């Protein structure tokens, strides 16, 4: 509980942070986020002559968020600030420091809709052709990288699913792979002949070489890192980031780009939305629908550049 004898906003904020850290046992990362946001609030309030927590009102809180928006802060940052101050005022009200909770009616701005990064079919083909050229010399790392990207794009799987695949999860005859998705949900995903060929080349000529580099090599893992252990998420990110870093376009340059790209290309090619949902392992169809927005955006761009009366 905050000190009743000192109602200064800065002091009550310190009491709240102690409560969050010791009484509620929140993570240090969460407490640091609270501290950073509320320090900004204390500074903003002081500049407007408000130093007592009792003078903290809804209009001041709204002005604080509006000021952040006016200065161009990211919507996610403003939403986090709103969450921090609402947690603070709720605690202060429940502790008796504030008679009324001014944060109850404070609403965070809606975050901007960020469409996932998608690369074109020609760009995917160029990436895969470049990897295939390197792999033609039977360089084991190049064979692995080609198999990684082929499978990411062909099966539209998450990076966490990719690195968790065991050799026995592959069915090379039926062209399917068993993956473990979010919430421990298992699903079987199809892939194509190019991915099968890349996987067989890796298993036959690349993986044995890499596995021999480490006595601690995991005999179950489909993909291995450069030193022979199971390939991790960071390793997969590095592989993909190098391939995407010089391509035009905004957004993250990680393995999810190929997942997003595959989903969009499937819808562009006429695939049913529910089939894509099942392929991606989305629990909700609403999550999959973002790719319809991507396809619509691409269609509008094609229309604008190609139609004579656009």
């Amino acid at each position: 509980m905050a000190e009743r004898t000192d109602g200064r906003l800065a002091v009550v904020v310190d009491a709240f942070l102690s409560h969050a850290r010791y009484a509620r046992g929140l993570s240090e990362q969460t407490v640091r986020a609270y501290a950073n946001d509320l320090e900004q609030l204390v500074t903003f309030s002081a500049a407007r002559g408000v130093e007592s927590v009792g003078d903290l009102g809804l209009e001041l809180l709204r002005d604080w968020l509006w000021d952040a928006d006016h200065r161009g802060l990211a919507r996610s940052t403003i939403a986090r600030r709103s969450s921090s101050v609402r947690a603070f005022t709720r605690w202060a009200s429940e502790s008796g420091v504030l008679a009324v909770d001014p944060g109850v009616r404070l609403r965070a701005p809606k975050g901007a809709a960020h469409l996932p990064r998608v690369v074109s079919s020609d760009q995917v083909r160029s990436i895969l052709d470049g990897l295939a050229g390197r792999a033609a010399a039977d360089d084991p790392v190049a064979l692995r990288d080609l198999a990684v990207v082929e499978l990411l794009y062909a099966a539209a799987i998450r990076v966490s699913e990719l690195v968790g695949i065991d050799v026995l999860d592959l069915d090379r005859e039926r062209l399917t792979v068993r993956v473990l998705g979010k919430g421990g949900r298992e699903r079987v995903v199809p892939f194509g002949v190019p991915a099968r060929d890349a996987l067989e080349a890796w298993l036959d000529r690349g993986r044995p070489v890499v596995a021999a580099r480490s006595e601690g090599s995991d005999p179950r893992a489909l993909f291995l890192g450069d030193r022979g252990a199971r390939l991790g998420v960071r390793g997969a990110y590095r592989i993909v980031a190098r391939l995407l870093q010089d391509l035009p376009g905004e957004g993250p340059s990680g393995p999810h780009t190929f997942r997003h790209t595959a989903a969009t290309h499937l819808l562009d090619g006429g695939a049913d939305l529910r089939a894509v949902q099942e392929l991606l392992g989305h629990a909700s169809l609403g999550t999959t629908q973002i790719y319809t927005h991507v396809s619509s955006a691409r269609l509008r761009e094609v229309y604008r550049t190609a139609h004579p009366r656009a």
Side-chain angles (χ1 to χ4, degrees):
M1 181 176 291
E3 290 288 337
R4 301 296 184 87
T5 57
D6 193 335
R8 287 179 299 167
L9 180 58
V11 173
V12 179
V13 164
D14 285 342
F16 166 71
L17 295 175
S18 294
H19 170 82
R21 179 179 285 112
Y22 301 115
R24 293 184 59 192
L26 298 182
S27 71
E28 196 57 36
Q29 181 179 2
T30 299
V31 175
R32 280 200 302 269
Y34 280 158
N36 180 67
D37 293 338
L38 296 174
E39 283 172 10
Q40 299 294 328
L41 174 63
V42 169
T43 301
F44 180 87
S45 301
R48 283 150 184 77
V50 174
E51 296 188 357
S52 169
V53 70
D55 293 330
L56 202 61
L58 178 60
E59 290 307 314
L60 177 67
L61 299 180
R62 285 174 172 167
D63 286 347
W64 179 53
L65 295 184
W66 180 89
D67 178 73
D69 183 60
H70 185 69
R71 289 188 290 113
L73 270 66
R75 291 283 176 174
S76 58
T77 300
I78 299 172
R80 193 199 65 226
R81 285 190 172 190
S82 175
S83 177
S84 295
V85 76
R86 281 187 283 113
F88 168 65
T89 59
R90 181 172 61 249
W91 168 84
S93 175
E94 291 173 350
S95 302
V97 177
L98 284 173
V100 178
D101 181 358
V104 142
R105 294 168 55 200
L106 188 67
R107 294 291 177 265
K110 293 183 178 179
H114 295 291
L115 296 180
R117 183 182 184 186
V118 172
V119 294
S120 70
S121 298
D122 288 341
Q123 289 171 326
V124 172
R125 189 177 302 110
S126 177
I127 289 171
L128 292 173
D129 287 348
L131 287 171
R134 286 172 43 211
D138 278 352
D139 173 76
V141 172
L143 288 168
R144 180 204 61 197
D145 292 355
L146 176 61
V148 163
V149 176
E150 282 279 15
L151 191 57
L152 281 171
Y153 178 62
I157 54 179
R158 302 176 178 94
V159 63
S160 58
E161 296 168 346
L162 175 93
V163 300
I165 297 173
D166 290 337
V167 175
L168 293 179
D169 292 327
L170 279 181
D171 188 329
R172 297 193 230 178
E173 292 185 1
R174 296 185 179 181
L175 301 184
T176 60
V177 60
R178 184 173 62 242
V179 298
L180 196 64
K182 289 185 176 180
R185 292 188 295 269
E186 184 182 286
R187 70 186 191 282
V188 176
V189 186
F191 55 83
V193 172
R196 181 201 63 188
D197 293 344
L199 286 164
E200 288 185 342
W202 157 246
L203 288 170
D204 296 341
R205 305 194 301 276
R207 193 184 182 287
V209 176
V210 178
R213 296 174 180 173
S214 171
E215 294 181 359
S217 176
D218 187 340
R220 301 169 303 169
L222 174 60
F223 292 115
L224 303 177
D226 295 351
R227 297 183 180 180
R230 181 185 288 269
L231 180 69
V233 170
R234 288 186 179 181
Y237 263 92
R238 283 194 294 268
I239 292 170
V240 174
R242 287 195 298 265
L243 299 171
L244 297 176
Q245 63 185 358
D246 294 327
L247 292 183
E250 299 179 353
S253 296
H256 257 54
T257 296
F258 287 109
R259 176 172 163 88
H260 299 323
T261 297
T264 304
H265 289 177
L266 282 166
L267 290 171
D268 286 346
D272 178 75
L273 185 63
R274 288 200 176 275
V276 175
Q277 175 193 3
E278 186 174 348
L279 177 74
L280 297 176
H282 286 160
S284 166
L285 186 63
T287 307
T288 315
Q289 284 176 331
I290 188 172
Y291 298 108
T292 65
H293 301 319
V294 176
S295 294
S296 297
R298 287 159 60 88
L299 179 61
R300 285 195 300 272
E301 180 63 23
V302 169
Y303 179 85
R304 188 170 63 249
T305 56
H307 197 288
R309 296 182 69 81

